[in-house]
């Protein structure tokens, strides 16, 4: 197994430590900067869930109104629903109000000012018929029991004119269903939303408007029930900056300007929202009563975008104690980085091959491909070619000088930055193979290599070498893979011990006077 050189390991460790320190600092700073963003994302999610639930609930009401209202419009256009036949109105609209309890009331009015209104009353119903009567307008109110039997009748003058109501004229101006923004119903002091549709009648001489009323208290109750936390506040706004306030025991529900609202939280929310140009779909935060609140709005789709749901949630309800413990991600992040650094240093020492240059190091995972790559690169500071392991091709005899020639390169690689000696490859990169060395089998070849290392370099340094036999183009190549040795390697012969280093494509012997200085510098 190849090992990364000590100097390179130290340089890498130093650089890695510097990178880890800088990265740790960056993570700590980023954690501080992103903590507010994280809190906003959490708050946004809670608020989005609440407002989306409210909008879906409103959308469900809208959808439930659309089909029966269009059907009533078709009845009006065909003459089936007519103010000239009040009894027929009762027969058609009583069952409709019974089937859909979301409906608070149904109005039918024409451009002459006549109108019919139906709403629930106790277990039964109440109808109101209004038309001109000589000197003024007259209202006829009838009460009905649960079996649709008339119980009583009252007649009185009235100034009510359906043509002045917010649902009448806009319906005449469109072919679609028109939805009002919330307002106070004339029939009773209750707030709601009205959907209306207009149709031509009497052969185009007049127009009839059918309108369905929905109580805002029903919608508000559902919205409030869907608040994300127990301390949340849910509000309904109009585009004219008026907020809906549900009625109490002695108070009628109404829309108040923000300046008229007694609640300081709502007023502070309005001031903060005005600075941020809300209503919008983006959550924002504000401080109130020593805690942070998150606020968000969402338009009620399906009718018009004049009505908004507002949600206010205290941050402590959303993230609890997490808001006080954002330092833990910093500590965990720093610990992870330090652990990663320690593991990286361990991996460098344990698996140095991962840091070697891939183009001039032998890769035993892809033997043939690796040998071809080394041959293509040619001899250099980390690659050496030798035609044979022991055979002199000129004399056709095994020669010691052949063995010492490639052993010298092995020692040079071990004393420098490692490398590979390819046995069976000529200087010009031709693949000759080891067949001329005439080993009886592969085991004999490997044994001969090991014996040469033990004899001329030392068994104690064998751990920094590996020997592979690789078949390329039908010929066997010997690959001596050398790692940098942490201790000096010498080529031992009968005459002396020589110290070699790699200098470009050649192995150079250092004199004794320079060996010690080189060893000290390489450490």
């Amino acid at each position: 197994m190849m090992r990364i050189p000590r100097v390179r390991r130290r340089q890498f460790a130093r650089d890695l430590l510097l990178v880890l320190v800088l990265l740790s600092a960056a993570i700590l700073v980023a954690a501080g900067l992103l903590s507010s963003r994280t809190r906003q994302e959490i708050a946004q999610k809670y608020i989005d869930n609440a407002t989306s639930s409210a909008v879906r609930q409103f959308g469900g009401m809208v959808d439930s109104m659309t089909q029966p209202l269009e059907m009533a419009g078709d009845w009006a256009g065909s003459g089936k629903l007519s103010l000239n036949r009040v009894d027929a109105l009762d027969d058609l609209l009583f069952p409709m109000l019974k089937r859909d309890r979301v409906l608070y009331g149904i109005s039918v009015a024409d451009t002459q000012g006549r109108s019919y209104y139906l709403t629930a009353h106790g277990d039964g119903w109440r109808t109101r018929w209004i038309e001109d009567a000589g000197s003024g307008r007259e209202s006829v109110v009838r009460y009905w029991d649960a079996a649709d039997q008339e119980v009583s009748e009252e007649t009185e003058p009235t100034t009510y004119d359906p043509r002045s109501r917010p649902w009448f004229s806009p319906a005449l101006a469109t072919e679609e269903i028109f939805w009002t923004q919330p307002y106070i119903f004339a029939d009773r002091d209750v707030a709601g939303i009205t959907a209306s549709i207009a149709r031509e009648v009497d052969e185009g001489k007049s127009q009839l408007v059918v309108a369905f009323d929905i109580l805002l208290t029903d919608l508000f109750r559902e919205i409030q029930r869907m608040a994300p936390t127990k301390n949340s506040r849910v509000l309904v706004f109009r585009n004219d900056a008026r907020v809906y306030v549900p009625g109490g025991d002695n108070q009628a529900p109404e829309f108040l300007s923000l300046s008229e609202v007694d609640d300081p939280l709502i007023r502070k929310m309005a001031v903060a929202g005005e600075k941020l140009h809300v209503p919008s779909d983006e959550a924002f935060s504000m401080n109130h009563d020593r805690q942070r609140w998150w606020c968000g709005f969402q338009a009620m789709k399906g009718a018009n975008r004049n009505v908004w749901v507002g949600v206010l949630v205290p941050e402590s309800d959303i993230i609890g104690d997490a808001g006080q413990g954002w330092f833990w991600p910093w500590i965990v992040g720093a610990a992870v980085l330090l652990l990663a650094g320690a593991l990286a240093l361990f991996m460098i020492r344990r698996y140095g091959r991962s840091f070697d240059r891939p183009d001039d190091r032998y890769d035993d995972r892809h033997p043939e491909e690796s040998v071809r790559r080394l041959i293509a690169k040619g001899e250099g500071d980390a690659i050496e070619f030798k035609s044979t392991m022991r055979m002199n091709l000129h004399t056709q005899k095994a020669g010691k000088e052949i063995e010492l020639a490639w052993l010298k390169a092995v020692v040079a690689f071990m004393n420098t930055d490692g490398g590979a000696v390819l046995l069976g490859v000529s200087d010009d990169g031709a693949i000759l193979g080891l067949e001329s060395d005439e080993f009886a089998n592969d085991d004999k070849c490997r044994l001969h290599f090991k014996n040469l290392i033990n004899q001329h370099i030392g068994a104690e340094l064998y751990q920094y070498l590996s020997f592979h036999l690789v078949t390329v183009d039908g010929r066997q190549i010997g690959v001596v893979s050398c790692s940098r040795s942490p201790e000096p390697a010498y080529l031992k012969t009968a005459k002396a011990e020589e110290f070699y280093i790699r200098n470009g494509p050649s192995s150079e012997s250092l004199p004794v006077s320079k060996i010690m200085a080189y060893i000290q510098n390489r450490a």
Side-chain angles (χ1 to χ4, degrees):
M1 176 177 295
M2 298 187 67
R3 298 177 182 271
I4 195 165
R6 182 178 299 177
V7 172
R8 291 172 61 197
R9 287 201 306 268
R10 287 185 176 180
Q11 292 175 344
F12 181 84
R14 180 197 62 197
D15 294 343
L16 179 63
L17 180 60
L18 178 61
V19 170
L20 289 175
V21 170
L22 294 176
L23 189 57
S24 297
I27 285 183
L28 295 178
V29 172
L33 294 175
L34 292 176
S35 61
S36 60
R37 179 60 180 171
T38 302
R39 290 196 297 269
Q40 181 170 351
E41 289 176 352
I42 296 173
Q44 185 82 55
K45 181 178 180 181
Y46 271 82
I47 290 173
D48 284 348
N49 287 341
T51 55
S52 295
S53 296
V55 169
R56 285 195 301 270
Q57 177 69 15
F58 180 78
M61 289 185 177
V62 170
D63 293 341
S64 69
M65 296 296 100
T66 300
Q67 185 174 359
L69 183 56
E70 289 179 341
M71 181 173 63
D74 293 340
W75 288 345
S78 66
K80 186 176 182 180
L81 189 69
S82 173
L83 290 176
N84 296 323
R85 300 162 56 198
V86 176
D87 293 342
L89 289 175
D90 296 338
D91 295 339
L92 290 172
L93 300 182
F94 277 20
M96 184 174 289
L97 199 62
K98 288 179 181 179
R99 286 194 300 268
D100 195 341
R101 301 299 293 186
V102 175
L103 274 174
Y104 173 75
I106 302 176
S107 296
V108 181
D110 63 13
T111 51
Q112 281 74 48
R114 295 185 300 171
S115 70
Y116 168 91
Y117 186 68
L118 168 66
T119 187
H121 181 80
D123 294 334
W125 316 100
R126 182 172 67 91
T127 62
R128 183 188 62 196
W129 169 260
I130 296 177
E131 64 178 344
D132 290 331
S135 60
R137 299 181 64 79
E138 183 179 79
S139 170
V140 179
V141 178
R142 295 184 177 89
Y143 295 90
W144 309 75
D145 60 20
D148 299 344
Q149 299 298 316
E150 183 176 345
V151 176
S152 63
E153 178 179 313
E154 300 174 358
T155 301
E156 59 184 15
T158 183
T159 59
Y160 176 83
D161 190 334
R163 294 169 293 186
S164 64
R165 303 308 294 163
W167 48 264
F168 189 86
S169 295
L172 298 176
T174 179
E175 296 180 358
E176 306 295 332
I177 293 176
F178 173 77
W179 288 84
T180 68
Q181 63 181 3
Y183 69 102
I184 303 301
F185 292 162
D187 182 61
R188 298 177 186 176
D189 284 332
V190 291
I193 299 173
T194 300
S196 57
I197 190 171
R199 291 290 185 267
E200 291 186 350
V201 295
D202 297 334
E203 299 180 352
K205 297 178 182 178
S206 180
Q207 287 181 290
L208 198 68
V209 177
V210 182
F212 285 1
D213 292 338
I214 303 173
L215 278 183
L216 193 59
T217 51
D218 294 340
L219 175 61
F220 184 84
R221 187 181 304 110
E222 186 64 23
I223 292 173
Q224 192 65 48
R225 187 181 66 82
M226 294 181 178
T229 65
K230 62 180 181 180
N231 297 315
S232 298
R233 301 283 300 278
V234 181
L235 308 170
V236 176
F237 286 87
R238 295 193 316 210
N239 268 6
D240 58 2
R242 301 183 74 88
V243 60
Y244 173 70
V245 178
D249 293 337
N250 299 314
Q251 179 185 5
E254 58 181 328
F255 280 88
L256 300 176
S257 66
L258 293 172
S259 61
E260 298 174 319
V261 178
D262 294 332
D263 192 329
L265 175 62
I266 296 178
R267 290 203 303 270
K268 189 172 292 186
M269 178 272 301
V271 172
E274 184 177 0
K275 291 180 180 178
L276 297 171
H277 305 290
V278 294
S280 71
D281 294 335
E282 186 72 20
F284 65 94
S285 64
M286 65 180 184
N287 293 317
H288 174 71
D289 197 18
R290 297 182 180 181
Q291 66 175 325
R292 180 175 292 273
W293 286 74
W294 288 92
C295 314
F297 299 87
Q298 187 167 340
M300 290 183 177
K301 302 177 179 64
N304 54 49
R305 295 180 62 88
N306 295 327
V307 184
W308 295 74
V309 173
V311 178
L312 296 83
V313 187
E315 185 175 87
S316 58
D317 279 8
I318 297 176
I319 57 178
D321 294 336
Q324 308 299 325
W326 290 102
F327 62 90
W328 282 112
W330 302 351
I331 295 178
V332 173
V336 169
L337 285 173
L338 292 176
L339 178 60
L343 290 176
L345 291 175
F346 170 77
M347 296 298 289
I348 293 172
R349 296 178 180 274
R350 183 69 178 84
Y351 302 104
R353 179 180 302 175
S354 299
F355 297 90
D356 286 330
R357 292 171 290 179
D359 59 343
D360 59 8
R361 294 296 187 269
Y362 174 71
D363 184 358
D364 58 5
R365 295 170 299 180
H366 309 284
E368 182 178 353
E369 177 184 345
S370 180
V371 169
R372 290 186 184 277
R373 187 183 66 249
L374 295 176
I375 293 174
K377 183 172 180 62
E379 290 186 308
D381 58 355
I383 302 173
E384 178 86 1
F385 298 158
K386 292 298 178 183
S387 298
T388 64
M389 178 183 283
R390 64 180 180 180
M391 184 64 67
N392 188 319
L393 296 179
H394 297 291
T395 64
Q396 294 299 313
K397 293 181 181 180
K400 196 64 177 177
E401 73 282 0
I402 301 300
E403 296 172 338
L404 293 178
W406 62 265
L407 285 170
K408 179 174 63 175
V410 170
V411 169
F413 286 146
M414 294 177 70
N415 286 327
T416 314
D417 288 332
V421 179
L422 302 186
L423 304 175
V425 178
S426 66
D427 292 343
D428 59 2
I431 299 175
L432 305 178
L434 296 179
E435 285 74 15
S436 59
D437 286 313
E438 299 179 350
F439 289 108
N441 51 52
D442 291 350
D443 290 339
K444 293 291 185 180
C445 181
R446 293 189 179 93
L447 179 60
H448 184 70
F449 171 80
K450 184 175 182 180
N451 289 337
L452 289 175
I453 298 302
N454 292 342
Q455 178 185 355
H456 295 287
I457 298 178
E460 70 279 4
L461 299 181
Y462 193 84
Q463 60 181 313
Y464 303 109
L465 302 171
S466 61
F467 181 64
H468 308 271
L469 292 174
V470 181
T471 300
V472 180
D473 294 340
R475 297 187 179 185
Q476 198 168 56
I477 304 298
V479 181
V480 184
S481 184
C482 313
S483 295
R484 179 183 172 103
S485 172
E487 53 187 288
Y490 295 89
L491 181 61
K492 303 172 185 178
T493 64
K495 298 179 180 180
E497 292 186 357
E498 295 182 277
F499 186 90
Y500 289 93
I501 62 171
R502 194 70 176 178
N503 186 8
S506 63
S507 301
E508 295 184 357
S509 175
L510 287 185
V512 176
S513 60
K514 295 183 178 181
I515 293 176
M516 187 59 65
Y518 179 83
I519 292 175
Q520 290 176 347
N521 290 333
R522 76 191 286 272

